[in-house]
Amino acid sequence: MLRTEKVLQLRGQQGRAVRVVREHYLRPDVPCRSALCRSAQCRAACARDGKLLSDDVTHYVVPDCKVVQEYLEILEFPELKGIIFMQTACQAVQHQKGRRQYNKLRNLLKDPRHDCTVFANEFHQHCYLPREKGESMEKWQTRNIYNAAAWYHNHCLGQMPVVMVTEDEDAIRQYGNETEGVFVISFKNYLDNFWPDLKAAHELFDSIVQARRERESESQENHGKEYPEHLPVEVLEAGIKSGRYLQGALNVNKHRAQLEAFVRLQGVGSKDTELQSDILIYGTKARNRAIHGDVVVVELLPVHEWKGRTVALCENETEDKAPADTTGDPMPTGKVVGIIQKNWRDYVVTFPSKEESQSQGRNAQKVLVTPWDYRIPKIRISTQQAEALQEFRVVVRIDSWESTSLYPNGHFVRVLGRIGDLEGEIAAILVENSICAAPFSEIQMSEMPVSSPKNPWKVSPEEVKKRLDLRDTHLIFSIDPKGCEDVDDALSVRTLPNGNLELGVHIADVTHFVAANSYTDVEARARATTYYLADRRYDMLPSVLSADLCSLLSGVDRYAVSVLWELEKESLETLRVQYSRTLIRSAYKLEYETAQGLLDGDTSVVGDILELKGLDEGARQKKLAELVWAISKLTDIARHVRAKRDRCGALELEGIEIRVQLDDKRNIHDLIPKQPLEVHETVAECMILANHWVAKRISEDFPHQALLRQHPPPRQEFFTELRECASAKGFSIDTRSNKALAESLDRANDPSDPIVNKLLRSMATHAMSNALYFSTGSCPEEQFHHYGLALEKYTHFTSPIRRYADIIVHRLLMAATLRGTTGDVKDNIISNKDLEELCRHINNRNRAAQRAQKQSTELFQCMYFRDRSAESDERCVADGVIYSIRTNGVLVFVPRYGIKGAAYMKNKEGLVISCQGAGSCQWKPGSLHRSQHKITSTTATGDSMTLSLFDHITVRILVQSSRCHAETIKLEIIRNAPHHTADTEAAHRSLHVVKSELVKEVSQSAEEAQRAQDRARLEVMDEESREFCQTKGPSLYQLLEEIRELALLDVTEDIRT
């Protein structure tokens, strides 16, 4: 190893240039990562690194710094193979293009689908060239990369030509003929000569070049400033530390995109501030070129310039000004003075129609395109294809936003599909949420076990010896939704010889098949979750695992990780818990409805149990009795634990899940709200129990690097609307703690209208913070708490098929339980720093999955109603419940379809709605008067109509079409009276679930038994209660997120999530 020095020019905190000399070490054994390599030393190093550059290409290509910075998205094309990114070019991207672009490059290098690698040329003693005196940085970088390319060609013994691509004409002249087998050409010539038929790459290249030319010419022509310049980074950092400036993420209100954006405080400057709310950024000028999602620095305006949040319903597209009487109380208001991090991504846009194009002006090549997301400003791109692309959804990227330009500049990337076409709209949803749905690569599939009808997979005899075999000792079964393929959990309960009970939760052992840092693991980590859309899903793991080998189907042997509790036979207290790798054979694959039928004693569902068919009557009755006992006993355990948790103050909130029912031709047949069943709660309770105990175990063994899930307490100001709405019905909601909130919600029950309690619980849900994954080394233990579940420690362990967090937790659990017996424990443990970064990635992907599911559900809801006549089809008329009053209308919940939407009482012409009695409504001249709990419409003739919170009205469901954006649901009041149908009555009855009575009954009996016990026994119960204090009911946070994510037009949603 050789030691040399590297001179760096860095900038200090005060903005002064600082010359730094650092030691720089060179070595001869830096791995080349090429399959052509014949060096034994190099091949050994390559084997440790994993990914190798292919040897079945015609040439290797080495891009220089400028090419990587400007044309990275072309280099991302999978057709371009054999790409060697030099360390010099990678560092240039990191220092000059920012973290987001650098992360894109890192992800490209990690992606096994792309044939590319990175070569650490600056650490190789034969490749590194020190910078000469007076040499520019760009010239030194190009010289270094060329020298490394020539070494690479010689290292591979001339077996593969190397093409260096550059935009530097001097480099082409200087190095073009210097080394035989190493070619130096421009990137355009490279595409023309090597990829003449790759049309998309050529179009993208032309688009990028054109956009760059436009930026250059614009900067020369425009001298007037549309926006103030951003402050230098060093000034921003100093201002944040002193408290003068505040830092946070910009969140644009999609319903008032031209006017309202909010900044949620974060970072150093926000810790000592007295502000208890978000900061309003009013108008695009104050936003100062920041785009939704950017991390910005804000300066507060004087108090007399503060403005209020809009409280009126509004149309997204046209309303740019808010009347003075439609805003709430003034709130902290500021302006953006700088951007810390630009979180730009791919954007789906629509080109202007012919009429709009003609009105845009003289230069037809410069086009203002409208993003699909209301929160993103129009983007100016340069293209000659504007007319041809008018009917398509298109992907563009933003390049820059100069202070002299009203709009950001960008370039065309690719076409998605026609406007309104289902596949095109689904593709738009995926792009908007940065979801990659590409098929798994051949190299990933090569890691999968072979399983086919002719050659089915079988358990390994060696593996059987390592596992606890439960196949003949336990009655194991799964309970899942109808048509479920990825069965990742199963349950068991049995009586032990000593009379106690044993409860078992068995989870598919995914980590047996997915080794850490394998190609499949890297891909699963990138996806982070399975993405469920209304009509399809995109799996995190290949289907051979998710739908076969890791799916706990009935009648087949499967590897599992099991948590087994021994419970005292009377009190059901936990006496012992065991974590084991097991071998199981599920006896039944039940659907929720079938299991509920067995629990209720309904014998008609027995015919739905496939595993009982073909048996003689005696055997069938015996097996059926065993199964019914097991389901009943599981339910008893779940009821008992729920009762204990209820006393601990856990929350129980309501959720609605809408299922899109498709016919044989994949047309939408119906939208069906999922009905709650007690077996839903039984299964969810067992899963929560397993997650809680696994969290305790891994955090004890790995206190600084365990992956847990926290749910911070909500901010009290978010409960304001809940308290006000509850007061309209005479209820008082105490939000000081989760126990107080839970008890308040239990009391807030209107016997004549169960939907009131449902909506109040929905509002409580909406006030919640998001639950997040975190590393235990990143925050103090008092912040581990899960507010919604009332648990001190919680994680996700039970769904490794569809959540990458669960895979990490499985590895941690195995490392904790097998410590001292295996040599690869350390390989499964991620450092706290890496785990923090991974948690941020998973949290981000989970939010994307929730948004995509919500948006696809909205798409199908719109398609369902779009195909029906709103005037004549009775399915377009439904009962609605008012849950919020605004200055010009009301927000309405439609229980039949799980829809939330706006119903206007004043239209654009200024007319107000008038309904006489239970008759139909009309638009007439008049005025509106809004009070806290009601709104009154008074016509010019003196007729008045009052709507109050929780009133039932009849609404017509319409679809509001938009050429540039997603279609939305619009509600129209047609009668000031409830809409009664058989479906409405059934829906109302279904809200009154027997669960509450069951829990109350068990709670009372448990309290009586507890009073009869002596003090020592009581202390043990209290300790167990603290350990088990979880929510009753199904996975609370999933339900709570579902109802929020399915809300179509809640104008506060974007501010709080």
Side-chain angles (χ1 to χ4, degrees):
M1 183 179 291
L2 298 179
R3 175 182 173 278
T4 183
E5 291 181 345
K6 189 175 184 179
V7 180
L8 301 175
Q9 295 291 336
L10 303 179
R11 187 177 295 275
Q13 287 190 350
Q14 304 302 319
R16 293 191 297 269
V18 180
R19 185 174 183 269
V20 177
V21 180
R22 289 182 178 168
E23 292 182 341
H24 190 70
Y25 292 92
L26 305 174
R27 45 192 282 191
D29 58 345
V30 175
C32 68
R33 296 190 174 94
S34 171
L36 290 171
C37 181
R38 295 293 178 263
S39 166
Q41 186 182 29
C42 191
R43 287 180 70 84
C46 290
R48 290 194 302 271
D49 288 342
K51 186 176 177 181
L52 291 179
L53 205 60
S54 173
D55 58 356
D56 63 351
V57 293
T58 59
H59 63 281
Y60 287 154
V61 58
V62 177
D64 79 344
C65 298
K66 189 76 171 177
V67 171
V68 177
Q69 291 178 52
E70 297 291 339
Y71 304 110
L72 179 59
E73 52 202 293
I74 298 178
L75 298 173
E76 290 175 327
F77 277 53
E79 290 86 354
L80 273 61
K81 300 179 183 296
I83 305 176
I84 304 169
F85 290 96
M86 296 297 173
Q87 175 193 358
T88 303
C90 295
Q91 289 179 342
V93 172
Q94 181 182 18
H95 295 150
Q96 297 174 35
K97 283 293 187 177
R99 188 175 73 178
R100 189 168 185 82
Q101 187 80 347
Y102 181 61
N103 285 340
K104 282 185 67 176
L105 176 57
R106 289 177 61 196
N107 292 335
L108 175 65
L109 290 164
K110 292 177 184 176
D111 194 336
R113 291 181 299 240
H114 292 271
D115 185 27
C116 61
T117 190
V118 62
F119 177 59
N121 62 301
E122 293 192 19
F123 291 112
H124 198 289
Q125 67 182 42
H126 299 305
C127 296
Y128 177 73
L129 299 174
R131 187 173 169 187
E132 296 175 353
K133 188 175 182 179
E135 186 178 27
S136 69
M137 175 63 75
E138 291 76 14
K139 294 296 182 184
W140 172 77
Q141 289 171 334
T142 302
R143 186 164 62 92
N144 235 6
I145 289 176
Y146 173 78
N147 186 59
W151 176 89
Y152 211 100
H153 176 260
N154 295 326
H155 177 73
C156 294
L157 305 178
Q159 300 175 79
M160 184 72 67
V162 175
V163 180
M164 176 179 167
V165 289
T166 179
E167 295 292 279
D168 187 343
E169 294 294 336
D170 293 338
I172 294 174
R173 286 191 294 270
Q174 181 177 352
Y175 303 123
N177 299 311
E178 187 168 303
T179 305
E180 186 178 354
V182 180
F183 305 91
V184 183
I185 61 176
S186 70
F187 193 50
K188 185 178 189 324
N189 285 342
Y190 175 72
L191 292 177
D192 290 341
N193 292 307
F194 287 86
W195 302 100
D197 299 325
L198 193 55
K199 183 180 177 182
H202 287 272
E203 291 177 349
L204 184 52
F205 177 84
D206 293 340
S207 177
I208 294 172
V209 170
Q210 183 66 24
R212 188 170 70 239
R213 288 172 181 164
E214 294 288 350
R215 290 199 307 272
E216 292 170 353
S217 63
E218 185 179 273
S219 62
Q220 294 172 1
E221 294 172 3
N222 293 346
H223 301 290
K225 300 285 186 184
E226 297 288 350
Y227 298 96
E229 293 288 350
H230 293 145
L231 298 178
V233 174
E234 55 270 16
V235 176
L236 297 176
E237 291 175 348
I240 292 170
K241 288 182 179 179
S242 68
R244 178 181 179 183
Y245 301 139
L246 301 168
Q247 175 182 325
L250 185 76
N251 199 333
V252 178
N253 180 0
K254 68 179 179 181
H255 306 291
R256 285 278 189 195
Q258 293 296 315
L259 287 178
E260 287 186 353
F262 300 86
V263 172
R264 175 70 53 85
L265 299 183
Q266 60 177 220
V268 178
S270 63
K271 290 181 181 177
D272 301 324
T273 181
E274 296 179 357
L275 292 179
Q276 297 297 315
S277 69
D278 297 335
I279 300 172
L280 171 64
I281 309 297
Y282 191 83
T284 55
K285 292 293 184 183
R287 214 175 295 172
N288 195 5
R289 296 170 286 148
I291 293 175
H292 174 77
D294 287 352
V295 178
V296 299
V297 177
V298 175
E299 181 179 21
L300 284 178
L301 298 176
V303 175
H304 69 271
E305 295 184 31
W306 288 8
K307 297 181 180 295
R309 177 184 275 121
T310 304
V311 294
L313 301 174
C314 52
E315 299 285 352
N316 300 62
E317 297 179 88
T318 56
E319 296 187 21
D320 292 342
K321 295 183 179 180
D325 62 346
T326 65
T327 58
D329 296 333
M331 63 182 295
T333 307
K335 62 180 181 180
V336 174
V337 295
I339 301 176
I340 296 291
Q341 181 181 330
K342 295 176 180 176
N343 286 323
W344 297 350
R345 55 173 175 82
D346 287 359
Y347 299 103
V348 178
V349 303
T350 305
F351 278 73
S353 62
K354 286 186 178 180
E355 297 78 14
E356 293 170 324
S357 298
Q358 292 170 359
S359 66
Q360 281 199 9
R362 52 183 175 78
N363 193 339
Q365 287 190 349
K366 289 185 179 179
V367 183
L368 276 178
V369 295
T370 304
W372 186 85
D373 187 340
Y374 283 104
R375 299 169 299 186
I376 308 303
K378 289 184 177 181
I379 302 168
R380 182 169 52 211
I381 68 170
S382 299
T383 180
Q384 298 178 347
Q385 305 179 63
E387 188 173 344
L389 296 174
Q390 286 176 350
E391 301 302 319
F392 292 88
R393 299 274 189 229
V394 174
V395 178
V396 303
R397 288 177 183 162
I398 295 177
D399 298 315
S400 65
W401 195 348
E402 305 300 332
S403 61
T404 55
S405 174
L406 273 174
Y407 301 102
N409 295 302
H411 63 269
F412 164 85
V413 177
R414 68 181 187 277
V415 175
L416 287 180
R418 285 191 174 276
I419 298 171
D421 175 69
L422 174 61
E423 293 305 316
E425 297 299 320
I426 290 291
I429 289 172
L430 296 179
V431 170
E432 280 294 313
N433 292 286
S434 303
I435 295 173
C436 174
F440 291 95
S441 66
E442 289 184 16
I443 194 166
Q444 289 158 359
M445 296 307 296
S446 68
E447 295 178 337
M448 296 295 98
V450 175
S451 183
S452 65
K454 292 183 179 180
N455 185 23
W457 174 85
K458 296 179 182 178
V459 298
S460 160
E462 294 77 16
E463 193 66 28
V464 173
K465 296 176 184 177
K466 302 176 185 177
R467 294 176 178 267
L468 181 62
D469 193 341
L470 307 181
R471 290 176 292 181
D472 299 325
T473 57
H474 289 63
L475 174 64
I476 297 174
F477 55 92
S478 62
I479 307 176
D480 289 285
K482 186 175 183 179
C484 178
E485 294 179 357
D486 50 347
V487 182
D488 46 16
D489 59 79
L491 300 166
S492 67
V493 63
R494 65 171 183 159
T495 303
L496 297 173
N498 62 6
N500 290 333
L501 295 175
E502 182 190 75
L503 170 66
V505 172
H506 313 276
I507 308 300
D509 190 359
V510 172
T511 57
H512 173 80
F513 299 99
V514 181
N517 299 318
S518 63
Y519 290 114
T520 307
D521 184 56
V522 170
E523 178 65 19
R525 187 186 309 146
R527 299 190 182 204
T529 182
T530 291
Y531 299 94
Y532 292 93
L533 304 189
D535 67 330
R536 67 193 74 189
R537 74 169 190 261
Y538 296 100
D539 290 326
M540 184 183 77
L541 295 171
S543 60
V544 66
L545 294 183
S546 61
D548 189 2
L549 304 188
C550 290
S551 188
L552 306 183
L553 305 172
S554 62
V556 292
D557 295 343
R558 290 290 181 259
Y559 297 146
V561 177
S562 301
V563 184
L564 302 168
W565 296 266
E566 182 179 345
L567 306 176
E568 204 279 326
K569 58 185 175 183
E570 297 296 335
S571 67
L572 299 181
E573 293 181 32
T574 300
L575 303 177
R576 186 176 62 90
V577 63
Q578 178 183 359
Y579 309 90
S580 299
R581 270 191 153 149
T582 56
L583 181 60
I584 69 169
R585 183 186 297 135
S586 176
Y588 303 97
K589 181 180 181 293
L590 302 177
E591 296 173 359
Y592 280 119
E593 293 75 13
T594 304
Q596 186 66 49
L598 294 176
L599 184 62
D600 296 339
D602 182 3
T603 56
S604 65
V605 300
V606 176
D608 297 332
I609 305 176
L610 300 178
E611 292 84 356
L612 293 180
K613 293 184 177 180
L615 299 177
D616 62 71
E617 185 62 21
R620 190 168 67 90
Q621 289 299 330
K622 180 181 178 182
K623 288 183 175 292
L624 182 60
E626 293 173 348
L627 179 59
V628 171
W629 178 88
I631 295 174
S632 299
K633 189 57 65 176
L634 278 175
T635 306
D636 289 342
I637 295 170
R639 289 173 183 171
H640 181 88
V641 174
R642 275 202 309 274
K644 290 205 303 180
R645 292 172 181 168
D646 193 32
R647 293 196 301 274
C648 291
L651 292 171
E652 179 188 357
L653 302 181
E654 293 293 337
I656 286 193
E657 182 178 338
I658 299 299
R659 182 165 58 87
V660 179
Q661 189 179 74
L662 304 177
D663 59 23
D664 295 338
K665 298 180 180 178
R666 299 190 67 75
N667 295 319
I668 304 171
H669 177 66
D670 203 355
L671 299 174
I672 304 174
K674 180 180 174 182
Q675 297 300 326
L677 302 173
E678 189 175 9
V679 288
H680 290 146
E681 302 166 9
T682 298
V683 174
E685 196 66 31
C686 294
M687 299 303 117
I688 292 172
L689 191 65
N691 289 334
H692 171 53
W693 278 88
V694 169
K696 292 205 301 182
R697 179 58 193 265
I698 63 175
S699 61
E700 288 169 2
D701 282 68
F702 305 107
H704 303 297
Q705 52 201 124
L707 188 152
L708 299 187
R709 189 163 174 83
Q710 64 183 171
H711 183 206
R715 292 164 60 168
Q716 286 299 308
E717 66 267 24
F718 289 168
F719 283 122
T720 302
E721 186 177 16
L722 169 65
R723 288 192 289 261
E724 291 177 353
C725 288
S727 67
K729 282 285 186 178
F731 301 126
S732 175
I733 303 294
D734 186 348
T735 61
R736 289 175 296 177
S737 69
N738 53 355
K739 181 175 177 62
L741 176 59
E743 292 173 347
S744 299
L745 290 172
D746 286 341
R747 291 193 297 267
N749 187 38
D750 185 348
S752 63
D753 190 0
I755 288 185
V756 171
N757 188 263
K758 188 181 189 70
L759 282 171
L760 290 176
R761 292 181 185 275
S762 171
M763 291 176 192
T765 296
H766 187 72
M768 299 293 173
S769 311
N770 283 326
L772 299 169
Y773 296 110
F774 71 102
S775 169
T776 50
S778 64
C779 64
E781 190 165 348
E782 56 267 23
Q783 295 180 15
F784 290 6
H785 186 72
H786 196 295
Y787 177 88
L789 298 178
L791 289 169
E792 293 305 318
K793 293 178 181 177
Y794 190 69
T795 192
H796 274 165
F797 158 77
T798 54
S799 294
I801 289 178
R802 59 184 179 89
R803 292 190 303 232
Y804 190 74
D806 300 53
I807 290 180
I808 296 297
V809 169
H810 273 238
R811 289 174 181 153
L812 287 165
L813 180 63
M814 290 301 98
T817 55
L818 300 175
R819 288 184 99 166
T821 62
T822 182
D824 61 350
V825 168
K826 291 184 178 179
D827 295 340
N828 295 332
I829 307 305
I830 305 175
S831 69
N832 175 56
K833 182 179 179 182
D834 291 341
L835 188 56
E836 275 190 87
E837 183 178 347
L838 178 60
C839 287
R840 280 193 293 269
H841 167 70
I842 296 176
N843 290 330
N844 177 50
R845 291 294 82 212
N846 281 347
R847 286 190 289 268
Q850 292 163 12
R851 289 194 302 266
Q853 186 174 29
K854 169 183 178 282
Q855 290 162 359
S856 71
T857 301
E858 292 174 356
L859 171 63
F860 275 86
Q861 285 174 333
C862 290
M863 292 174 64
Y864 177 77
F865 291 109
R866 185 182 63 195
D867 296 337
R868 285 160 175 77
S869 170
E871 299 296 329
S872 60
D873 196 322
E874 63 179 17
R875 286 172 291 188
C876 294
V877 177
D879 185 62
V881 186
I882 297 171
Y883 70 92
S884 186
I885 306 291
R886 300 301 164 94
T887 56
N888 59 341
V890 293
L891 292 175
V892 179
F893 172 60
V894 182
R896 168 66 179 88
Y897 299 110
I899 289 173
K900 285 182 178 179
Y904 288 86
M905 296 181 67
K906 188 173 188 178
N907 63 17
K908 293 180 180 179
E909 288 73 36
L911 303 178
V912 299
I913 198 164
S914 173
C915 296
Q916 298 303 316
S920 60
C921 296
Q922 297 176 327
W923 294 100
K924 296 181 179 180
S927 61
L928 294 178
H929 174 72
R930 174 199 182 219
S931 60
Q932 187 175 18
H933 300 144
K934 60 186 178 181
I935 183 170
T936 301
S937 167
T938 305
T939 65
T941 58
D943 297 327
S944 66
M945 176 191 77
T946 299
L947 297 180
S948 302
L949 278 174
F950 303 113
D951 279 357
H952 285 253
I953 58 177
T954 301
V955 296
R956 178 177 287 118
I957 303 171
L958 308 168
V959 176
Q960 183 169 324
S961 298
S962 173
R963 184 173 170 275
C964 299
H965 310 282
E967 293 179 328
T968 54
I969 292 290
K970 183 179 179 181
L971 302 179
E972 183 180 281
I973 301 173
I974 59 174
R975 247 189 338 272
N976 183 17
H979 181 66
H980 290 290
T981 65
D983 288 343
T984 305
E985 298 299 327
H988 287 185
R989 285 196 302 271
S990 72
L991 295 173
H992 190 68
V993 187
V994 294
K995 171 188 62 180
S996 56
E997 277 67 35
L998 290 170
V999 171
K1000 190 179 298 182
E1001 180 183 333
V1002 177
S1003 295
Q1004 291 172 350
S1005 62
E1007 288 168 1
E1008 290 171 0
Q1010 192 169 334
R1011 282 194 295 267
Q1013 294 170 342
D1014 57 50
R1015 174 170 293 188
R1017 185 69 167 174
L1018 184 60
E1019 290 174 354
V1020 173
M1021 285 290 290
D1022 285 344
E1023 183 178 349
E1024 282 298 310
S1025 179
R1026 283 194 297 272
E1027 290 181 350
F1028 277 84
C1029 55
Q1030 304 170 30
T1031 186
K1032 53 180 182 176
S1035 180
L1036 165 72
Y1037 209 79
Q1038 292 175 356
L1039 290 182
L1040 163 157
E1041 287 173 337
E1042 281 166 4
I1043 191 163
R1044 175 171 57 202
E1045 292 303 319
L1046 286 173
L1048 290 184
L1049 190 60
D1050 193 330
V1051 296
T1052 58
E1053 176 183 350
D1054 289 60
I1055 299 162
R1056 299 187 182 182
T1057 55

